[in-house]
Amino acid sequence: MKNGGYVYIMASKRMGTIYIGSTSDLIGRVFEHKNKVYPKSFTAKYNCDKLVYYEYHELLETMVKRERQLKEWPRNWKIKLIIDKNPDWHDLYSGLLESYGYSVE
């Protein structure tokens, strides 16, 4: 795993409920969201189990600042950010796994 971290967005469905988070272990954290490891969490409650956006930051400080920035944005700006990179709102998790050498079936 790299030294920096990721800011990511999970969604319940296209144009649905979204959640913004940050982590240094994106694969592990998304796995937790998808499997509702924390059943009382926001993502479990609102079924935000699709990774629709992520960005890597080399410095953890930059990652934290970016997460805070995105959380303060109006919803329509967040939606535009997702659509600009992932217009069909595909779940990016399997592609992320493949990029790290995991086989996806």
Side-chain angles (χ1 to χ4, degrees):
M1 199 50 67
K2 301 173 184 172
N3 292 329
Y6 296 86
V7 175
Y8 64 94
I9 302 176
M10 302 293 294
S12 60
K13 61 183 178 181
R14 187 182 198 326
M15 302 296 285
T17 303
I18 59 174
Y19 169 83
I20 297 172
S22 63
T23 182
S24 58
D25 177 10
L26 186 58
I27 291 172
R29 189 68 184 108
V30 173
F31 176 88
E32 291 173 345
H33 289 304
K34 287 183 159 301
N35 291 282
K36 298 177 177 47
V37 171
Y38 304 104
K40 294 184 180 183
S41 69
F42 180 92
T43 55
K45 181 177 179 180
Y46 293 99
N47 203 31
C48 297
D49 61 358
K50 292 158 196 60
L51 177 66
V52 293
Y53 178 86
Y54 65 93
E55 58 189 47
Y56 177 74
H57 295 271
E58 291 188 20
L59 300 174
L60 292 178
E61 179 181 348
T62 307
M63 174 196 76
V64 170
K65 286 180 182 178
R66 179 64 167 164
E67 178 189 15
R68 288 182 186 147
Q69 177 190 44
L70 293 182
K71 286 183 173 184
E72 291 177 4
W73 279 11
R75 177 177 167 83
N76 63 322
W77 292 10
K78 298 170 192 175
I79 298 297
K80 183 179 180 334
L81 181 68
I82 296 165
I83 290 172
D84 285 349
K85 298 279 182 162
N86 185 4
D88 296 322
W89 292 62
H90 291 296
D91 188 345
L92 305 173
Y93 188 59
S94 61
L96 178 66
L97 289 173
E98 288 174 354
S99 74
Y100 278 90
Y102 294 96
S103 63
V104 179
E105 295 180 23

